[in-house]
Amino acid sequence: MLNTLFIVDDEYASRLKLNQLISRLPGWRIDAELKSGKELFLRLSESQPDVILLDINMPGLNGIDVLSQLNQQHCNSEVIFTTAHSRYAVEAFNGAAADYVLKPISLERLQLALERVAERLRLQQAQTLPQTLISRVGHRMKNVKVEDIDAIIIDNGTLIAHCGSQTYPLDTTLTELEQQLPAHFLRVHRSAIINRFRLNEAERWLNGRLLLRFMYSELEVLTSRNGARQLKRHLKM
């Protein structure tokens, strides 16, 4: 599951630089590039990202004013300032900013800031993630432990959780599960999510795909090309 970002900066060159850096960091997706605090609040009425990369010196509301309003509105997004001005750091941290990164921004410094935030998000997420999924067969229900799942696959129109030699039908969708499951569950195909902690082997296949095998199961899953790329980034292959 990818963490989402908004970039808020009035300078095109700065937005382009951040975009280029983030494209080199797995696990992050830019959902919006905005030029002002006004644009940010309009977009937040539609959706909230995990992280806002926020400039300070902008027309209209400056970054510190934006942070103050975000706090008043109880916005759950983490804020990382990306700015050329060091003098606002105390105000930023007093407003509970997650980090304060000075321009020119290096890949290493941005990665450190995002890794710190990602760890905080993981801890928050762990408190709300489901520990079990419910499988129903007829009038019977069974709790399936999330960490026992090797993969969840669409099979003849039915969503099936594979746990070792056992299989359990699920009454939900892969898209819903993709949002609910921990970050080590990866969508590797439009019809498959896998638990990378239970992977045993990834064999290179045709057209850039991977054939996946698991520690406790005879199951094999063939990724898409995009799914293979995402998995390689996570596994640092």
Side-chain angles (χ1 to χ4, degrees):
M1 184 169 59
L2 297 176
N3 292 314
T4 56
L5 288 160
F6 283 4
I7 296 173
V8 187
D9 197 307
D10 63 311
E11 294 184 2
Y12 171 76
S14 295
R15 297 196 304 274
L16 179 61
K17 176 66 173 179
L18 284 169
N19 198 311
Q20 292 170 340
L21 292 174
I22 292 162
S23 70
R24 298 169 62 184
L25 299 176
W28 295 94
R29 183 185 73 222
I30 299 170
D31 277 1
E33 296 183 36
L34 309 164
K35 294 181 283 188
S36 67
K38 181 179 179 181
E39 288 188 8
L40 171 63
F41 287 110
L42 287 173
R43 184 59 187 265
L44 287 173
S45 66
E46 302 172 7
S47 64
Q48 289 191 9
D50 296 309
V51 177
I52 299 170
L53 299 180
L54 182 62
D55 188 24
I56 287 183
N57 188 17
M58 297 185 296
L61 293 171
N62 68 32
I64 298 298
D65 294 332
V66 170
L67 178 61
S68 177
Q69 289 197 24
L70 290 172
N71 289 334
Q72 290 173 21
Q73 296 179 15
H74 304 290
C75 177
N76 292 323
S77 302
E78 299 281 352
V79 173
I80 296 175
F81 279 103
T82 53
T83 177
H85 304 283
S86 61
R87 64 182 180 273
Y88 297 103
V90 173
E91 290 179 80
F93 287 118
N94 284 342
D99 211 330
Y100 196 95
V101 181
L102 290 174
K103 299 175 181 177
I105 298 170
S106 69
L107 177 65
E108 293 75 17
R109 181 64 181 89
L110 182 61
Q111 183 175 20
L112 176 62
L114 290 175
E115 284 178 350
R116 288 170 175 169
V117 170
E119 181 60 27
R120 188 185 305 183
L121 291 171
R122 279 193 290 269
L123 292 174
Q124 293 171 356
Q125 193 181 56
Q127 298 174 4
T128 59
L129 289 173
Q131 302 300 308
T132 61
L133 300 177
I134 296 175
S135 175
R136 293 184 176 89
V137 179
H139 297 292
R140 300 180 62 184
M141 291 194 314
K142 181 175 179 59
N143 287 325
V144 180
K145 290 184 180 179
V146 166
E147 295 308 323
D148 288 345
I149 296 173
D150 299 307
I152 302 171
I153 296 171
I154 298 175
D155 187 359
N156 293 321
T158 301
L159 200 61
I160 303 292
H162 291 257
C163 306
S165 62
Q166 303 297 313
T167 59
Y168 304 97
L170 302 174
D171 186 18
T172 183
T173 68
L174 278 183
T175 300
E176 290 174 340
L177 288 174
E178 192 176 12
Q179 299 303 315
Q180 297 171 8
L181 291 170
H184 55 276
F185 280 80
L186 303 176
R187 185 82 173 259
V188 296
H189 191 278
R190 67 169 182 253
S191 62
I193 290 175
I194 61 97
N195 180 354
R196 68 181 178 91
F197 287 171
R198 290 171 70 93
L199 273 179
N200 184 52
E201 182 179 78
E203 179 182 342
R204 296 185 188 278
W205 207 250
L206 299 175
N207 300 321
R209 296 178 294 173
L210 294 172
L211 183 65
L212 307 180
R213 300 185 180 93
F214 300 84
M215 296 177 186
Y216 311 107
S217 170
E218 298 298 318
L219 177 71
E220 294 183 334
V221 173
L222 187 62
T223 73
S224 65
R225 282 179 292 181
N226 184 56
R229 285 192 293 267
Q230 289 196 49
L231 183 59
K232 286 177 181 178
R233 285 198 296 268
H234 278 83
L235 298 179
K236 295 181 172 57
M237 293 174 64

